[in-house]
Amino acid sequence: MTITKPAIDPEKEEPPNGKDTAVLSTDLDALVIVRSETSKEVDLEHNAAAVSVEKRADSVSVDSTPAGEPATEEEIKTLFHVVDDIPLGVWLAAFVASMERFAWYGATGPMPDQYTEMIPRIKIGKNGERVIADRELTISYIYNAYYWMVNIAGLAALGTTFLEKYVGFWAAYLPPVIAMAIGFIPLVLFRSKFLRNPPSGALLAKAAHALWLAAKGGFRMNAAKPEAQEADHKFIAPWDDRFIEELKLGLFACRILLLFPFHWLCLNQTFNNLISQAGQMVNSGVPNDAIKSTNPLTGIVFYPLVQKVVYPWLRRKQIRFRSCARITLGFFMLTAALAYAAGLQQLIYNAGPCYDAPLKCVTSQGGRIPNQISMFLQIPIYSVGGMAELFCLTTGTEHAYNQAPKSMRSIIQAVSIAMAGFGALLAMAFTPLAKDPHLVILYAVMAGILMAATIVFYVCFRHIDKEEIELL
């Protein structure tokens, strides 16, 4: 038997009671909330997957250029920059240059010692005038003549630059090799003409030991004397009181060199950043590293003019233009050169086509079109810098040499060379600024530092022109 469910008339169907309605409504709301949260989770998962896909796409895009191929502009902006592999030829050239520097610094020390006259003597000049042969002036002349010859040799950079560009690297390296070989000839043929002093022992090591003992004794040089060491530490010092007194005078003479690291910091710009600056400018067919030859050219002309005309005229007029005044003038001139370099760099940034990104924009056609400003506007930087070298480098070394005892002169030369090393270390602190578009700040900051050093130098050492130190 089949049972049929009776039909229900909608009009007669009883509505659900209030309790059932609330339960139903609550269930529906919960269902909506659950479905909403589920939808959000799905959307978040979808978005995360989309971001992951985009990141992978970007990664594929950045890494798409094979290793060894030119990078795209986007890759240059986004990828980390590192130092490239250095070719063996670069290291070989650096080794040869270091050997040249070894010879240069090695010759600077014993060179003035070849002049042994200590007492002023009467001399008859070319016009029959009775004059005094002055040792201090003679040492000054020796240093100026030496740097003049160094400037002549510095013109080799002009020739080797063109040889490298139009012939090849082998031709550029050949003249330096020949020049170094020629330098051995007078050393061998005229060895009997050189003054050869017997070795004085490990003077530098002895001086360093004495300074260490003085520092331990409260930074008093007298604490390093033999009597004090024997009484306080039962140590027999391998030197006498005279050695300590001479060391004190040597250190006293070195004080004038203490601010020279700032001079070297600024002068070294002519060997790196200023050459790069020239590469951003119109060179009219001249290699950008050839413009630095303006520096030795200035020295070749300016050194004899100052030595033969300016200094004698000042002496005849009894105008005192001694060490402090000359070094202060040299510092100021180099400051002006760096300030000019800052202004010139701003002119480069103001010029097209790449403005503050020289050689890096699309308009430069891969770095072939520089900003449209002449490279020869750099000439005043090198010319003024060359004149500054005469008043700074020659005067500083000459003064320290003249004021130091004979036994301490090799230490004076070592300290002078060390100042150049400290200047190179200071330059490393400015590496973050040594790139576009920060080069204006770099040159301006260096000019400001050297100007401050110039003022400090003059305030601290202006009295030395009036002092005469009695040498032992």
Side-chain angles (χ1 to χ4, degrees):
M1 182 178 63
T2 304
I3 299 175
T4 305
K5 183 178 180 179
I8 300 175
D9 188 352
E11 295 180 358
K12 295 181 179 180
E13 182 179 7
E14 295 182 3
N17 56 33
K19 181 177 180 180
D20 293 338
T21 302
V23 170
L24 179 61
S25 176
T26 302
D27 291 342
L28 289 174
D29 291 343
L31 179 61
V32 170
I33 292 173
V34 169
R35 294 184 63 184
S36 176
E37 293 296 331
T38 303
S39 177
K40 288 182 179 179
E41 290 178 0
V42 172
D43 290 342
L44 288 174
E45 291 178 358
H46 176 73
N47 291 339
V51 171
S52 176
V53 171
E54 289 178 2
K55 287 184 177 179
R56 287 198 299 271
D58 291 342
S59 176
V60 172
S61 176
V62 169
D63 296 334
S64 60
T65 302
E69 297 297 323
T72 64
E73 291 188 8
E74 183 64 24
E75 290 169 334
I76 292 173
K77 293 178 180 178
T78 56
L79 294 180
F80 185 68
H81 289 213
V82 298
V83 177
D84 199 1
D85 297 330
I86 307 298
L88 178 61
V90 173
W91 294 119
L92 293 175
F95 175 77
V96 174
S98 67
M99 293 300 99
E100 183 272 333
R101 289 290 91 182
F102 181 86
W104 191 85
Y105 287 121
T108 306
M111 177 190 62
D113 289 336
Q114 300 299 312
Y115 177 71
T116 59
E117 190 63 63
M118 303 295 295
I119 302 174
R121 298 184 183 276
I122 298 295
K123 183 179 178 180
I124 304 300
K126 294 181 180 180
N127 58 357
E129 182 185 6
R130 287 166 56 85
V131 294
I132 298 293
D134 185 276
R135 173 179 170 80
E136 183 177 344
L137 294 178
T138 304
I139 295 297
S140 176
Y141 185 88
I142 290 173
Y143 273 108
N144 280 305
Y146 170 69
Y147 279 100
W148 180 74
M149 296 174 70
V150 167
N151 279 314
I152 292 178
L155 289 178
L158 184 62
T160 55
T161 299
F162 281 95
L163 286 173
E164 179 267 323
K165 182 175 182 178
Y166 295 108
V167 180
F169 283 104
W170 71 269
Y173 291 135
L174 184 59
V177 172
I178 295 175
M180 293 180 70
I182 293 175
F184 284 104
I185 296 177
L187 290 176
V188 176
L189 295 182
F190 302 100
R191 60 185 180 277
S192 60
K193 301 295 183 181
F194 290 103
L195 177 66
R196 289 179 284 184
N197 294 322
S200 57
L203 182 62
L204 189 59
K206 189 187 296 185
H209 190 190
L211 290 174
W212 170 250
L213 294 179
K216 290 174 62 177
F219 293 94
R220 295 178 300 106
M221 289 302 301
N222 288 339
K225 288 186 175 182
E227 296 84 355
Q229 286 297 311
E230 186 175 2
D232 298 337
H233 306 287
K234 307 302 180 184
F235 173 70
I236 305 301
W239 52 74
D240 54 16
D241 290 352
R242 181 182 178 87
F243 176 81
I244 298 300
E245 292 299 328
E246 290 181 347
L247 183 57
K248 289 165 65 176
L249 281 177
L251 294 174
F252 191 71
C254 286
R255 59 185 179 156
I256 200 173
L257 302 174
L258 292 178
L259 291 172
F260 269 71
F262 300 107
H263 169 268
W264 282 106
L265 167 67
C266 298
L267 184 63
N268 286 339
Q269 299 308 305
T270 60
F271 302 111
N272 41 58
N273 288 324
L274 287 175
I275 294 177
S276 300
Q277 184 188 71
Q280 301 172 348
M281 308 167 75
V282 178
N283 59 21
S284 303
V286 178
N288 64 301
D289 49 355
I291 190 68
K292 66 181 181 182
S293 296
T294 309
N295 181 290
L297 279 172
T298 302
I300 292 171
V301 175
F302 189 67
Y303 280 33
L305 178 65
V306 170
Q307 189 67 49
K308 295 289 188 179
V309 179
V310 177
Y311 285 170
W313 182 83
L314 291 174
R315 288 197 298 270
R316 291 189 181 278
K317 297 295 182 180
Q318 297 184 350
I319 299 175
R320 298 174 62 89
F321 188 53
R322 303 192 66 184
S323 300
C324 180
R326 282 184 274 167
I327 295 174
T328 301
L329 177 60
F331 276 22
F332 180 77
M333 294 177 72
L334 190 56
T335 300
L338 263 294
Y340 178 90
L344 181 58
Q345 188 66 51
Q346 186 60 56
L347 290 178
I348 294 173
Y349 287 161
N350 291 342
C354 294
Y355 300 98
D356 62 354
L359 306 176
K360 296 177 183 177
C361 63
V362 178
T363 315
S364 69
Q365 299 181 7
R368 291 191 296 271
I369 300 178
N371 285 13
Q372 298 302 295
I373 184 170
S374 176
M375 177 183 73
F376 296 101
L377 290 175
Q378 279 193 330
I379 289 178
I381 302 175
Y382 289 101
S383 298
V384 175
M387 290 185 283
E389 287 182 36
L390 167 64
F391 297 119
C392 292
L393 294 182
T394 59
T395 304
T397 309
E398 160 211 327
H399 175 86
Y401 179 88
N402 280 329
Q403 302 301 324
K406 185 177 180 180
S407 62
M408 293 290 130
R409 285 169 183 165
S410 60
I411 294 180
I412 296 298
Q413 296 294 332
V415 171
S416 177
I417 295 170
M419 294 301 104
F422 288 136
L425 288 176
L426 285 175
M428 297 177 65
F430 291 88
T431 302
L433 291 177
K435 58 183 179 181
D436 297 313
H438 309 303
L439 290 172
V440 175
I441 300 175
L442 173 70
Y443 297 131
V445 168
M446 286 190 175
I449 290 174
L450 188 57
M451 188 68 236
T454 303
I455 296 172
V456 171
F457 180 88
Y458 181 75
V459 171
C460 293
F461 299 115
R462 65 183 184 274
H463 62 279
I464 66 174
D465 287 348
K466 301 177 182 179
E467 291 180 353
E468 292 293 338
I469 300 175
E470 183 181 353
L471 304 184
L472 297 180

